Amino acid sequence: MNKKIGVFLGLGAALFTTQATAQTGWPEKEDLTFGFIKLTDMAPLAIAYERGYFEDEGLFVELEAQANWRVLLDRVISGDLDGAHMLAGQPLGATVGFGTEAHVVTAFTMDLNGNACTVGHDVWEGMKPHLEMADGKPVHPISAEALAPVIDDFGARGESFNLGMVFPVSTHNYELRYWLAAAGIHPGYYAPQRGDTNGQIDADVMISVTPPPQMPATLESGTIHGYCVGEPWNQQAVFRDIGVPVITDYDIRNNIAEKVFGVSNDWAEQYPNTHVRVVKALIRAGHWLDAEDNANREEAARIISQPYYVGADYEVIANSMTGIFEFEKGDVREAPDFNVFFRYDATYPFYSDAIWYLTQMRRWGQIPEHKPDDWYMDIARKVFLPEVYEQAARELIAEGTLDASDFPDFDTEDGIRPVEATTFIDGIPFDARQPTAYLEQFEIGLKGDEQP
């Protein structure tokens, strides 16, 4: 059962005065309900709540766990939720009309990285003979080339090789596909223009949707043979001894928006002051989560381990949240940037992050027709709202809550990450200003006017 939690401000709210009050004005809507999925990267919402950052902005907030990403998106669009922890691709997918069509926007990136790909023990045993080893342990990152012989064996037996991800426009779907395709394994195309939204055309593997908390059990049952998901559901597989994480998304592609805080465009236009104040609270939460080289992460892990947040054991959550990650049982490695909540300008909604997701939608057919380069930027500007973020950040600076050095230089920032800020497992550089040329570089994927 979902549990709602909230803070009552009472008469104290009437006495709330800061410099920001004059700049932003009082929130048009004070009573808010935000949705989330039980993943560690919902942490900024939990921290903003638990540390009183929402309260500081005159907001009465309830946080409510949702059954799955589709329900969460539908409830934001319908107005049942004021906003939510969302997959970075959800506002983009909805706005371009893949699946549910609605104009959804974001002014805040909740985190970078935070996912991994896990396989069952039988698959792992099949991969191990094809791995490079050093001191008795696999050399990371592990290429999906080691998975190809296992997939071939399944095919020779007349069996499909099944993989799980959490939603068609999820980061996990695109990361899993990127990893597979970089090794010459075709993950399949979508063809929405022909009513085909399964994403399995020409596929060497079958990729389907499984809600995040159900991933370990679905793997254990044999329904899927591996999955890509956020934490704590990869480390859960290790602790339950039912699977082995083989690669993190940091090694597939790093430092692109993972989750965002999404609202409907109608909501953003109706409640602009409220929106800025929500972003202010979330910025403070992200800053606290990364402060002093992750010094607060143990406390954060204990907070979100509670059943009404993520509801997994503290030890499982703490593995990735505190900067380590366990692969094969006992193979624990440092992973300081597995979860990033503030550094590297993590909270800023970069247009280039939006454009990368749009290129992946086009690559795999979710956007079925060729689009010119300026279309990608137009959609990015329609969905990602750095101007709202900037207003929130400038007010935090003016209040003395955070420093200007904590943020991008807003006088020069153009919304495009430097090309060298993100690396990819196949070594192909991403230039957000040339998305068409970027897509032409891939051996597997739609190019030009191609349609599946």
Side-chain angles (χ1 to χ4, degrees):
M1 182 175 67
N2 291 334
K3 177 171 181 177
K4 292 187 176 182
I5 51 182
V7 173
F8 179 63
L9 299 180
L11 296 177
L15 304 177
F16 174 77
T17 56
T18 68
Q19 182 173 352
T21 305
Q23 297 176 30
T24 297
W26 290 105
E28 302 89 351
K29 186 177 184 182
E30 299 176 358
D31 297 323
L32 305 169
T33 302
F34 297 148
F36 68 92
I37 298 294
K38 292 193 169 192
L39 294 160
T40 57
D41 54 22
M42 63 76 58
L45 281 171
I47 298 306
Y49 174 84
E50 296 286 345
R51 293 188 60 79
Y53 300 151
F54 288 131
E55 180 181 356
D56 290 346
E57 296 300 327
L59 304 173
F60 171 83
V61 170
E62 294 179 343
L63 301 179
E64 184 179 308
Q66 304 298 298
N68 56 55
W69 292 113
R70 182 174 297 281
V71 168
L72 178 146
L73 178 63
D74 288 346
R75 296 192 72 207
V76 169
I77 292 169
S78 70
D80 290 340
L81 295 173
D82 292 285
H85 162 233
M86 284 188 182
L87 300 154
Q90 280 189 293
L92 294 160
T95 300
V96 302
F98 182 79
T100 303
E101 185 171 359
H103 188 184
V104 181
V105 297
T106 178
F108 181 83
T109 296
M110 293 190 69
D111 69 315
L112 310 177
N113 313 324
N115 301 327
C117 298
T118 292
V119 298
H121 283 300
D122 57 338
V123 174
W124 176 240
E125 291 303 316
M127 292 176 66
K128 287 172 77 171
H130 308 284
L131 299 177
E132 181 183 354
M133 307 293 285
D135 299 324
K137 295 182 178 180
V139 175
H140 283 258
I142 292 174
S143 167
E145 289 178 0
L147 183 62
V150 180
I151 296 170
D152 290 342
D153 288 344
F154 270 74
R157 298 196 302 267
E159 302 175 16
S160 66
F161 189 82
N162 301 322
L163 293 168
M165 52 79 185
V166 305
F167 200 66
V169 295
S170 69
T171 50
H172 321 78
N173 189 22
Y174 303 129
E175 291 159 359
L176 179 58
R177 288 168 174 272
Y178 202 104
W179 181 59
L180 293 169
I185 301 167
H186 202 308
Y189 291 128
Y190 295 83
Q193 75 280 16
R194 295 192 276 114
D196 189 327
T197 57
N198 292 323
Q200 297 174 354
I201 298 171
D202 296 335
D204 296 326
V205 296
M206 298 293 108
I207 302 175
S208 59
V209 171
T210 301
Q214 297 176 25
M215 289 288 192
T218 309
L219 179 70
E220 188 174 24
S221 72
T223 304
I224 56 176
H225 306 107
Y227 56 73
C228 186
V229 74
E231 282 306 299
W233 309 116
N234 297 286
Q235 294 298 269
Q236 186 78 281
V238 178
F239 275 71
R240 290 174 55 182
D241 198 24
I242 60 174
V244 177
V246 293
I247 189 168
T248 69
D249 65 338
Y250 184 87
D251 285 325
I252 298 171
R253 67 103 179 96
N254 66 331
N255 297 343
I256 291 177
E258 165 58 28
K259 301 295 191 309
V260 298
F261 180 78
V263 301
S264 73
N265 187 63
D266 288 344
W267 188 96
E269 291 182 346
Q270 187 173 0
Y271 308 117
N273 293 348
T274 304
H275 197 190
V276 171
R277 288 180 176 276
V278 169
V279 173
K280 286 176 67 181
L282 291 174
I283 289 173
R284 292 178 66 189
H287 181 266
W288 183 87
L289 280 160
D290 276 11
E292 301 178 34
D293 295 324
N294 297 350
N296 297 320
R297 293 294 188 86
E298 288 188 9
E299 181 180 350
R302 293 192 186 282
I303 289 171
I304 65 173
S305 68
Q306 298 175 84
Y308 43 83
Y309 288 132
V310 180
D313 291 344
Y314 163 77
E315 291 78 11
V316 177
I317 292 175
N319 254 18
S320 61
M321 281 285 281
T322 58
I324 60 172
F325 194 80
E326 189 167 8
F327 292 90
E328 189 173 17
K329 204 168 186 67
D331 184 0
V332 179
R333 308 192 186 205
E334 292 186 0
D337 286 342
F338 184 89
N339 287 117
V340 175
F341 293 100
F342 194 80
R343 57 186 174 275
Y344 314 136
D345 297 324
T347 54
Y348 186 81
F350 282 95
Y351 294 137
S352 52
D353 290 4
I355 292 170
W356 187 79
Y357 283 109
L358 292 168
T359 65
Q360 300 311 292
M361 292 178 190
R362 171 60 188 144
R363 183 181 182 187
W364 304 119
Q366 292 174 334
I367 297 171
E369 67 281 339
H370 168 74
K371 300 291 186 181
D373 284 351
D374 58 1
W375 178 88
Y376 290 87
M377 180 57 80
D378 289 346
I379 296 298
R381 292 181 183 278
K382 187 175 181 179
V383 176
F384 278 39
L385 306 179
E387 62 273 17
V388 175
Y389 180 97
E390 180 179 344
Q391 183 178 347
R394 286 189 184 277
E395 291 183 12
L396 289 169
I397 294 167
E399 294 166 12
T401 304
L402 294 176
D403 296 327
S405 60
D406 292 321
F407 299 100
D409 182 347
F410 296 122
D411 293 331
T412 60
E413 179 58 57
D414 63 0
I416 305 295
R417 291 187 193 273
V419 172
E420 62 272 14
T422 303
T423 57
F424 296 84
I425 193 167
D426 55 9
I428 294 177
F430 168 60
D431 184 349
R433 295 178 176 84
Q434 301 183 63
T436 302
Y438 173 65
L439 288 167
E440 291 289 338
Q441 299 177 81
F442 296 107
E443 290 188 15
I444 299 176
L446 299 177
K447 305 173 184 62
D449 294 327
E450 291 179 349
Q451 293 189 9

